[in-house]
Amino acid sequence: MARAGLTVERLVQAAAELADEVGFDNLTVSALARRFGVKDASLYSHLRNAQDLRERVAVLALRELADRAASALAGRAGRDALIAFANAYRDYARTHPGRYAAMRIDLTPEVAATSRADRHSEMTRAILRGYHLPEPDETDAVRLLHSTFHGFTTLEASGGFGHHPRDTEASWTKTLDALHHLLGHWPG
């Protein structure tokens, strides 16, 4: 019998919070059970296994970031949309490092199909429409933006920029300016 008060939604939310606190790699069913003061077995009436838990946190994170990005993009176009999207992405990674890491796991095709991860690509393509890139250039630009955002936020989070006195905010702004310029002058 399921313990009163434990639901999949409550467990996933707590797991996401735990991942932000201890790191996604340290998220386990045992750690989550300890948070609720129950035995591991109590959680298995709600979760299939540790992979199920990790995938559910990833889906939650993908949805949360997509919702934030969509709010940030509302009413914006061109450079303003690019900056709003990039800042939503970076802010989420900084605020929720465990959840952000969860978004990088490989989801099974069944889970991926229900995750709405495609919203990220759709929003990026919407931003890129203002730059009038034909295919396959648009796909290349989607990959460039996501790689740049991920690379910058990952290096920043790991202290990779701490060895130089240049302010990371100034570098971030310059990076976004450079992306805007590149997108407006895409190589033919």
Side-chain angles (χ1 to χ4, degrees), residues 15 27-29 32 47 49-57:
L27 176 62
T28 64
V29 173
L32 185 59
L47 304 166
N49 52 39
Q51 183 62 25
D52 180 39
L53 174 64
R54 295 170 67 78
E55 287 177 340
R56 288 175 185 271
V57 171

Side-chain angles (χ1 to χ4, degrees), residues 94-106:
R94 292 163 108 184
T95 306
H96 300 293
R99 295 175 215 205
Y100 179 76
M103 292 188 304
R104 303 290 145 230
I105 67 168
D106 228 2

Side-chain angles (χ1 to χ4, degrees), residues 1 9 24 28 39 42 47 53 56 71 98 122 149 163:
M1 181 170 149
E9 294 78 20
F24 186 67
T28 64
K39 297 200 181 297
S42 299
L47 304 166
L53 174 64
R56 288 175 185 271
S71 293
E122 290 167 5
F149 301 158
H163 64 280

